[in-house]
């Protein structure tokens, strides 16, 4: 395939555009781009192609692409699906650099459509022409007035020229994002929707925008991922370019995932794995179009002036709103430190009846005079614990008296504290919002949205300090599948990979069992070893807490008799003797292959709770020890490991080391291992280590 | 105090209003009501009172209330705090029916202010005059053009006359709610803010609105509750009147609660208990002003046409939006059944490339012709599994062509299916939204808000079938505090209350222990009995799993020796012999007194997990068995009790019975017991019962 993002300039900044299937009727799909290109002032040449017309919307029309006097940079193909492959071939023959295919009726309709789509793809690969679509809404470039889309939202105008690049797999959600941007006066650079992605995929778009001077922040709407390395590569390019990527990934719920799978026909992948991929790549996830735009706009306004941490001071003129804001800020994950004593005194000096803790309720006095507001803002911004200040102004700016206090004071604050992050929660009027935005304040409407946006800015800032991606590990030789048929063999494989296991021995007689137990120390556990008995307990194949040689010998023979009675045809490879360990916290540690992103590692607290509460941390494999530690800390139940309620602190370092070892093993065996379950991984008190008590490895189907 | 809601008509529909502290300056607090009353056309008489003026804003002024030629129905008091008590006394002497006190500087400033506020309260109680405030923004009645507020949001106009009654403890949040209503053209009846609540409290306001013909839906902003029986009584009045109460209770987070406590000076109460109180009263909670208004408006539009259940069909013209909508609907707690085969066929008959499952993606074809849209809507509305239909129209109505398809079709659908709930998610234009609203459709802007609003409507519908409130239990004679000093005595008290405990015996010798153990059957547990040793394990005072008479006798003597060594001065009342039980699920069951709402019962899964995950169900005590069962089902970890992962189903009936018994006991001992902890309550497999294995009762401080 083409290098990431290569050739997309022909879509965004072509000198000439052919519209194949151009229509006289400007409301038709094939007529709309002609009309919009002219209305918005596309500076290049437009070549309508229509064999049944000599003129389209006042422009001379051509019967075929070939009849055009030059090779157009871009072709828009708006013909029936059946005619699209030939049209694309004609473009390739003519030397067109890129094509946008609006036509639907391809892979989204199943086998026959897929075959036609494969022809489009083959043409793209063979010719080097970049092909967007089919079944897409196209693209637009605001600065260059290039309108290669039939999206109806453009009928009411383009967004202003600005720094947001919008790349969406969904045509409608991408369009709606552009519409909201226009309504709010938020500036956009490019808009592109990828549809069926026969050639240009969402990774191409992200990569292009990462290199595009007109784009500072990338907004991405993602339904699926058809090529994981390309997506992660593109996200990495954006990170290297210092451009935030904000992702609205849809299909978070089971119902949504089912709908996405039926809609895109692509494997959905696990939503938790998408989360993990975004986190590692430093892309920040949002959950609505409104959040996408709020955060993108705020990030564009702030540029590199991001909060250094999550410590947020909240300022309101109303006690009730202060409480509401504190609720929302807590829910968004911001932290609300108390201002220093000196800060509180400075506030009380100017507003004696203020509530100077966080949220600061400075009462209506706050906006009574500019000097008072300025003094409060200075006190808060000069507090060491203030990473960001969030001022809730609600509808105050509708009142000229308050506006006359706020505007000059905020302008002065911006000049005096150019590096401080001050977020404003403002409900209109639009001209005041525009003026504040021009001063460099991120402005968001509403209590919830403003706190969520500020938290998102903190995520963007945190993503700048992420460690480099882990090095790719070379594949290891496949594991001997025979060893994996028993617990004992499986544990030996894991031990070799660096996962801690107990000193254990497979024995063939009561005498050997007694000898082994005596050597390792009592009490011990006996377990049957058989490739045919994965559920050992059910056949009486596990005995715990044997504390003497006599007891071990008796239990050994009794177990063999019991198991043979319960499962006469099972092959018995012997009996496993292990030390009996007590105490510690049971965790589950596993790895599996995500259908989209490949091997992932996951960890959670053991027992039925982890599965019912679904408190599990997932990351792409491999992870290093630091990332493994972050996985542990991200668990809701982390406090259980960290000494909650008087429990001993667990050996987190040992647990992290086991996670990292397993993740490396899973990454190196992506080809031959489908799934690994260590259940439980017993994590003992700090200093006492962690140990895999039972384990199962499922080889990949060959 | 006055009966709930009594006398508030003098605030909302007075024939005459005196404004004490009336100002010539219409931007001043004392000038604004004069100006607003006249601007909005108050039909009654306005009496400005100002000793330093003969005329205020063109109206004749009076030096004192007494000088007014009649007793005004309502007085607005806008003077310095120090002068307010005398002004109120003068109103009482004159025979004024109600007063609104804007002045601040009372209880919110501590002791001295509280004393002044107590004078206001005494005047109200003595005279029977209803007094709103102090430190409040006042009230307004839209239909009667009564403006007894200085809220600046009215400067730009009143909301239209309509069915929403707004009652808020927070002046600013209440005002902002009214402002958003005006901006969106949503009709309101009354607006009232209660401030310090020296007399009229939020319960009065809810109760008045419950009886008020002009109000159909009650929006309530709550910061605190100063009188729990009044609040629950008012909510009950609204429920009896069939009027939904939608509550924005602020202070949900720890930070918010701390801020609320410092702001209102009132005990905050537990947010979880507020939740429980609202749930029992059928009030529906929201978490933002925007949600409050969206849900209130939708409830007003629908009236009694509420969804019969949560089964929701989602319809979009876009696959991507369908996925996003499914995500949001799932998050909001709606259920998304698949349409019947016949329904899917009907959809495919008119749109062959539709995705006919839920979400239904009917593609752009959906709005290409009215007959197509009508056929799809009919198919979905006639599906048995459709409690509600949610149509995502995003910005379609901005396009005349689509508007011309949607409007007549939806009008026809409304007429043909008058009882069906069809929610529309529409992003403008305002006149189209107004037209759809007038047809009887609830219309909400946005994917998240529309699904949350529909879920709220389901909550409102469910609240109509709540059982009657439990009968109040008479207090029981206090428990003998001596019995509570030991586990054994505590369990006997609980057993008498109907909480199941094991057959246990306190013994005084090894011989008695052996005898008791033999009688109850092995294995047994021994525990030290001492009022001085609440933590028995730490002194070696617990021995488990004794399975013979010899072992019991030896353990008895060894335990006494160990405990005497570890705690020489502890009083020893004997040793408790109990049967050792195994298996089952450990739960925690408790009761405590909420500072605002009194005794509550709580239950959760046992162990460290419940406390770390905070998965606990709370209800006001008492609860009956059915409500106790609902508590169990509301736990995130309910699946653990319900047979998850091959576990046996727990004896839910026995657990519910224990919860109900404890809740009755807690309710009857609200005066003498502060806290009860049963940890663990062992819930065994279905049919095997539940049993309190350990218990602690903390008597109330006397």
């Amino acid at each position: 395939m083409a290098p990431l993002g290569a050739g997309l300039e022909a879509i965004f900044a072509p000198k000439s555009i052919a519209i194949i299937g151009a229509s006289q009727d400007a409301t038709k799909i094939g007529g709309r781009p002609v009309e919009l290109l002219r209305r918005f002032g596309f500076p290049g040449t437009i070549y309508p192609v229509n064999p049944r017309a000599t003129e389209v919307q006042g422009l001379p029309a051509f019967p075929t692409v070939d009849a055009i006097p030059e090779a157009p940079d871009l072709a828009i193909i708006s013909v029936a699906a059946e005619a699209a492959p030939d049209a694309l071939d004609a473009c390739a023959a003519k030397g067109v650099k890129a094509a946008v295919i609006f036509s639907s009726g391809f892979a989204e309709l199943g086998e026959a459509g897929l075959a036609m789509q494969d022809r489009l793809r083959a043409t793209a690969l063979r010719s080097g022409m970049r092909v967007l679509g089919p079944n897409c809404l196209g693209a637009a470039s605001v600065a260059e007035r290039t309108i290669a889309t039939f999206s109806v939202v453009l009928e009411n105008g383009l967004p202003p020229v600005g720094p947001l690049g919008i790349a969406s797999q969904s045509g409608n959600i991408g369009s709606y994002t552009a519409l909201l941007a226009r309504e709010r006066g938020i500036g956009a650079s490019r808009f592109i929707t990828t549809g069926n992605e026969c050639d240009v995929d969402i990774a191409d778009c992200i990569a292009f925008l990462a290199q595009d001077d007109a784009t500072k922040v990338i907004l991405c709407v993602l339904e699926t991922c058809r090529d994981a390395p390309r997506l992660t590569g593109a996200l990495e390019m954006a990170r290297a370019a210092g451009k935030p990527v904000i992702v609205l990934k849809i299909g978070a719920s089971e119902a949504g995932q089912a709908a996405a799978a039926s809609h895109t026909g692509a494997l959905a992948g696990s939503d938790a794995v998408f989360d993990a991929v975004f986190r590692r790549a430093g892309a920040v996830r949002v959950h609505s179009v409104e959040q996408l735009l709020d955060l993108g706009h705020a990030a564009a306004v702030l540029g590199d002036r991001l909060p250094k941490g999550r410590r947020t001071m909240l300022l309101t003129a109303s006690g009730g709103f202060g409480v509401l804001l504190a609720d929302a800020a807590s829910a968004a994950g911001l932290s609300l430190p108390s201002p220093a004593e000196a800060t509180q005194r400075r506030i009380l000096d100017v507003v004696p009846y203020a509530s100077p803790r966080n949220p600061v309720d400075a009462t209506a006095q706050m906006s009574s005079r500019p000097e008072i507001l300025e003094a409060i803002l200075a006190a808060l911004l000069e507090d060491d614990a203030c990473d960001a200040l969030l001022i809730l102004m609600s509808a105050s700016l509708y009142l000229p008296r308050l506006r006359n206090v706020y505007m000059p004071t905020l302008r002065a604050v911006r000049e005096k504290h150019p590096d401080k992050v001050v977020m404003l929660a403002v409900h209109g009027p639009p001209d005041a919002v525009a003026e504040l935005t021009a001063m460099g304040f991120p402005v968001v409407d509403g209590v919830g949205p403003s706190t969520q946006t500020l938290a998102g800015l903190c995520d963007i800032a945190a993503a700048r300090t992420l460690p480099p991606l882990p090095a790719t590990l070379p594949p290891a030789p496949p594991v001997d599948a025979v060893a994996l048929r028993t617990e004992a063999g499986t544990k030996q494989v894991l031990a070799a990979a660096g996962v801690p296991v107990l000193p254990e021995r497979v024995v063939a007689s009561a005498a050997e069992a007694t000898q082994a137990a005596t050597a390792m120390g009592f009490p011990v556990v006996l377990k049957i070893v058989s490739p045919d008995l994965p559920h050992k307990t059910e056949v009486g194949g596990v005995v715990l807490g044997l504390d003497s040689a006599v007891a071990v010998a008796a239990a050994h023979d009794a177990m063999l008799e019991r198991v043979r009675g319960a499962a006469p045809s099972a092959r018995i490879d012997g009996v496993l003797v292990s030390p009996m360990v007590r105490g510690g916290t049971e965790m589950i540690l596993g790895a599996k292959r995500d259908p989209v992103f490949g091997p992932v590692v996951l960890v959670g607290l053991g027992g039925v709770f982890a599965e019912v509460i679904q408190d599990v941390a997932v990351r792409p494999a491999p992870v290093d020890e630091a990332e493994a530690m972050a996985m542990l800390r991200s668990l809701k139940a982390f406090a259980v490991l960290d000494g909650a309620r008087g429990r001993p602190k667990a050996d987190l370092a040992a647990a992290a080391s086991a996670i990292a070892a397993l993740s490396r093993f899973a990454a190196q065996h992506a080809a031959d291992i489908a799934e690994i379950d260590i259940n439980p991984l017993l994590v003992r008190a700090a200093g006492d280590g962690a140990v895999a008590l039972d384990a199962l490895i499922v080889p990949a189907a060959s």
Side-chain angles (χ1 to χ4, degrees), chain A:
Chain A
M1 290 189 77
L4 280 167
L8 267 59
E9 61 280 356
I11 294 176
F12 289 120
K15 291 199 181 59
S16 50
I17 304 180
I19 294 126
I20 302 168
S23 168
Q24 194 65 35
D25 181 347
T27 70
K28 288 249 160 51
I29 290 177
R32 212 171 285 155
V34 179
E35 198 272 332
L36 294 172
L37 281 165
R38 302 183 72 195
R39 193 201 314 173
F40 295 128
F42 173 64
T45 316
I46 306 170
Y47 297 110
V49 177
N50 185 330
R52 291 180 306 280
T54 54
E55 183 200 282
V56 168
Q57 297 183 37
L59 293 173
F62 298 83
T64 62
V65 169
D66 193 48
I68 297 174
E70 63 170 326
D73 283 350
L74 175 65
I76 295 172
I77 298 180
S78 176
V79 298
E82 297 68 27
D86 285 347
L88 191 68
D89 283 342
C91 290
K94 182 73 176 178
V96 168
K97 292 183 187 146
V100 175
I101 307 180
F102 292 167
S103 325
S104 59
F106 292 89
E108 78 277 14
L109 297 188
E111 284 303 319
L114 187 58
M116 284 204 299
Q117 184 169 315
D118 285 342
R119 265 195 67 195
L120 303 178
R121 179 183 172 80
T123 301
L125 292 179
R126 175 172 43 75
S127 65
M129 180 171 54
R130 296 312 309 265
V131 180
L132 182 65
N135 189 28
C136 80
L137 270 183
S141 188
V142 183
E144 287 82 0
R145 321 313 270 178
T146 303
I147 316 296
T149 173
F150 65 98
S151 170
V152 293
V153 309
L154 297 192
E155 292 195 9
N156 291 314
L158 283 174
V161 175
L164 300 188
I166 302 168
S168 176
Q169 290 180 320
S170 160
N172 281 294
I173 300 180
S175 289
Y176 190 70
T177 308
L179 173 126
L180 287 188
R182 176 179 56 72
E183 283 187 352
R184 300 195 195 171
I186 295 175
S189 57
R190 327 290 188 187
F191 158 80
I192 185 164
T193 68
T194 57
N196 287 12
E197 301 190 339
C198 83
D199 173 41
V200 172
D201 66 1
I202 194 76
D204 274 312
C205 302
I206 294 168
F208 177 84
L209 295 172
Q211 300 161 306
D212 172 33
D213 286 342
T215 301
K216 303 298 177 202
V217 176
I218 300 168
L219 307 189
C220 179
V221 180
L222 207 67
E223 285 187 75
T224 190
C225 171
R226 293 181 174 85
D227 188 326
R230 285 177 63 83
L231 180 61
T232 52
L235 293 174
E236 190 50 30
M237 285 172 70
R239 179 149 75 121
K243 296 186 186 178
V245 179
I246 305 166
V247 183
L248 173 60
K249 156 70 174 61
I250 62 177
S253 63
E254 264 180 55
Q257 286 220 327
S262 93
H263 172 50
T264 63
L267 284 169
S270 151
D271 192 69
V273 175
F274 271 100
D275 253 350
V277 167
F278 297 146
R279 187 182 298 108
R280 177 173 281 180
V284 173
R285 187 168 180 184
V286 294
H287 293 276
S288 72
V289 175
E290 291 78 8
Q291 280 179 14
L292 184 69
L293 210 55
D294 279 340
L295 181 55
H297 186 41
V301 168
L302 280 186
D304 290 328
R305 256 180 323 120
L306 291 168
K308 293 184 177 51
R310 289 175 196 275
R311 297 173 309 166
T312 305
M313 300 290 179
L314 306 175
L315 175 63
T316 75
S318 150
F321 266 125
V323 177
L324 193 62
L325 194 60
D327 284 346
S330 299
L334 297 169
S335 80
L336 306 178
S338 191
E341 284 293 326
T343 307
Q344 297 191 33
R345 269 198 307 275
R346 288 172 69 181
I347 294 169
L348 291 172
D349 279 350
V350 290
V351 181
Y353 298 137
S355 173
R357 288 199 183 78
N358 201 1
V360 176
D361 168 13
T363 79
Q365 287 296 310
M366 163 171 139
S367 48
S368 58
R369 292 207 313 273
E371 333 55 288
I372 292 180
L373 181 61
E374 197 175 338
I376 295 170
L377 296 179
L380 289 169
L381 288 173
E382 289 161 14
D383 192 297
D384 285 342
C386 179
D387 292 324
L389 172 61
L390 172 51
I391 311 178
L392 181 64
M393 294 157 68
S394 63
S396 303
L397 297 181
Y398 278 109
L399 300 166
R401 191 177 57 75
L402 298 185
R403 183 167 173 164
N404 288 338
V405 171
Y406 273 114
M407 294 311 241
T409 311
L410 287 169
R411 188 180 298 278
V413 161
R414 191 70 265 121
E415 279 160 17
K416 196 164 168 195
H417 300 278
D419 294 333
K420 297 287 182 176
V421 177
V422 181
M423 158 83 73
L424 306 178
V426 175
H427 182 72
D431 68 317
V433 171
E435 197 178 328
L436 290 167
T437 305
M439 288 181 205
F441 291 104
V443 183
V444 175
D445 188 354
V447 166
S450 63
T451 52
Q452 287 160 4
T453 299
L454 184 51
L457 292 170
C458 295
D459 292 339
I460 290 173
R464 303 209 159 182
T465 62
L466 285 177
L469 294 184
T472 307
L473 296 173
V479 169
D480 171 17
V482 173
L484 303 183
R485 295 193 314 188
T486 64
E487 177 192 334
T490 299
K491 283 199 214 163
Q492 281 163 18
V493 167
L494 290 173
V499 176
V501 301
L502 293 172
E504 295 178 331
R505 243 186 84 196
V506 179
V507 298
S509 67
E512 271 185 39
T514 307
Q515 184 190 34
T518 307
M520 63 185 65
F522 295 98
V524 298
V525 177
L526 300 191
K527 298 185 202 173
I528 199 75
V529 180
S530 163
D532 302 322
L533 299 172
H535 303 294
K536 298 180 279 283
T537 308
E538 292 173 10
V539 292
V542 178
V543 181
L544 306 177
L546 299 166
D547 54 6
S548 69
V550 175
V552 167
H556 177 274
D557 292 349
M559 176 189 289
L560 284 182
E561 192 178 327
R562 205 161 50 229
V563 170
R564 286 193 184 116
S569 61
R571 289 165 289 174
I572 308 287
D573 291 353
V575 169
L576 184 70
V577 185
S578 324
M580 169 107 178
V581 289
R582 292 175 193 278
T585 303
E586 290 192 355
M587 304 196 72
I588 51 171
L589 170 59
K592 62 173 185 174
R593 280 200 308 209
D594 182 77
V596 172
F597 292 99
V600 297
V601 62
L602 50 104
V603 68
L605 250 67
V608 75
F609 298 95
E611 311 200 23
V612 170
I613 305 287
Q614 303 203 321
D615 179 25
V616 174
V618 181
R619 294 290 186 282
V623 298
D624 62 15
E625 280 70 7
E627 196 171 0
M629 189 67 89
M631 292 174 75
L632 293 170
R633 290 187 181 278
S634 76
L635 293 172
K636 288 193 204 106
F638 175 68
V640 173
L641 298 170
D642 200 36
R645 312 274 310 167
R647 293 163 65 98
K649 285 207 184 215
D651 197 329
L652 296 173
S657 164
I659 296 166
L662 183 75
S663 78
R664 285 188 291 264
F665 178 76
Q668 296 197 281
H669 289 276
D672 61 307
I673 291 181
E675 195 173 335
I676 308 173
D677 280 304
I678 298 177
N679 187 4
L681 176 78
L682 190 76
V683 183
R684 306 174 78 177
D688 293 348
V691 63
L693 294 192
D694 200 351
L696 177 72
I697 295 181
V698 181
S702 52

